[in-house]
C-alpha cells in the first residue's frame, strides 16, 4: 500500500511540474510556432533537451526566447488596434440606430481587411 501511495505522489508531482511549465514560443506570446522534426525514436527516460525532462543545465534557454516581430507584423498590429478602437466606439455610439451601427461596423471591418492587404502588398513590393 505504501508503494502505491508513493507511486501516486510521484506521478502527481511529474504531472504538476509538466503542467506548470511555460508553453514556449508561439503558444501564448504571439510568436511563430516551432516545428521539431526527429527520427521517430522516443526514449521515455530522456526528454528532447536532456535527461529526465531537464535540459542542460536545467532548461533549454533558446526555446523560451520570445519571437521578435517584424516591421510588417508591427504595422498590421497597429492597423488592427486602430480599427478595434473604431469598432468599439461605434458599438458604444447610441446616436445611430442598430442597423446603421452594424452597417458602419461592417464597413470598418472591410476597410481594415483592405488596408491590411495593401500594407502586405506594399511591404513585399519594396
Amino acid at each position: 500500500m505504501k508503494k502505491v501511495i508513493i507511486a501516486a505522489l510521484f506521478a502527481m508531482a511529474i504531472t504538476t511540474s509538466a503542467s506548470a511549465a511555460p508553453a514556449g514560443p508561439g503558444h501564448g506570446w504571439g510568436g511563430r510556432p516551432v516545428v521539431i522534426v526527429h527520427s521517430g525514436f522516443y526514449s521515455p527516460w530522456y526528454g528532447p533537451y536532456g535527461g529526465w525532462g531537464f535540459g542542460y543545465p536545467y532548461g533549454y534557454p533558446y526555446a523560451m526566447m520570445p519571437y521578435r516581430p517584424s516591421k510588417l507584423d508591427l504595422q498590421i498590429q497597429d492597423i488592427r488596434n486602430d480599427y478595434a478602437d473604431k469598432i468599439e466606439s461605434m458599438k458604444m455610439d447610441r446616436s445611430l440606430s442598430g442597423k446603421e451601427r452594424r452597417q458602419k461596423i461592417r464597413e470598418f471591418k472591410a476597410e481594415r481587411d483592405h488596408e491590411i492587404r495593401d500594407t502586405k502588398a506594399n511591404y513585399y513590393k519594396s
Side-chain angles (χ1 to χ4, degrees):
M1 185 69 180
K2 188 176 183 181
K3 292 180 182 179
V4 173
I5 292 173
I6 290 174
L9 288 174
F10 183 70
M12 192 180 333
I14 289 175
T15 305
T16 305
S17 65
S19 65
H27 301 285
W29 292 324
R32 294 181 179 165
V34 176
V35 178
I36 298 174
V37 179
H38 59 88
S39 65
F41 175 74
Y42 171 74
S43 172
W45 306 110
Y46 297 102
Y49 305 118
W52 296 97
F54 301 107
Y56 175 81
Y58 309 111
Y60 189 67
Y62 303 110
M64 299 302 146
M65 288 186 177
Y67 160 71
R68 184 174 177 181
S70 68
K71 186 176 178 183
L72 176 64
D73 292 334
L74 294 174
Q75 289 174 347
I76 289 174
Q77 191 61 39
D78 286 341
I79 292 169
R80 288 185 195 276
N81 289 340
D82 290 341
Y83 277 97
D85 184 47
K86 288 180 183 180
I87 289 171
E88 196 61 36
S89 64
M90 185 56 60
K91 286 180 181 179
M92 302 296 267
D93 185 15
R94 297 296 174 198
S95 65
L96 301 173
S97 68
K99 191 173 187 178
E100 292 171 338
R101 278 196 306 260
R102 287 192 299 272
Q103 181 61 34
K104 283 296 258 185
I105 289 172
R106 284 189 206 109
E107 289 173 9
F108 283 148
K109 288 181 179 180
E111 288 174 17
R112 175 193 63 197
D113 295 340
H114 182 71
E115 193 170 339
I116 288 173
R117 278 193 303 270
D118 287 346
T119 303
K120 285 181 181 179
N122 292 336
Y123 180 81
Y124 289 119
K125 283 181 183 176
S126 60

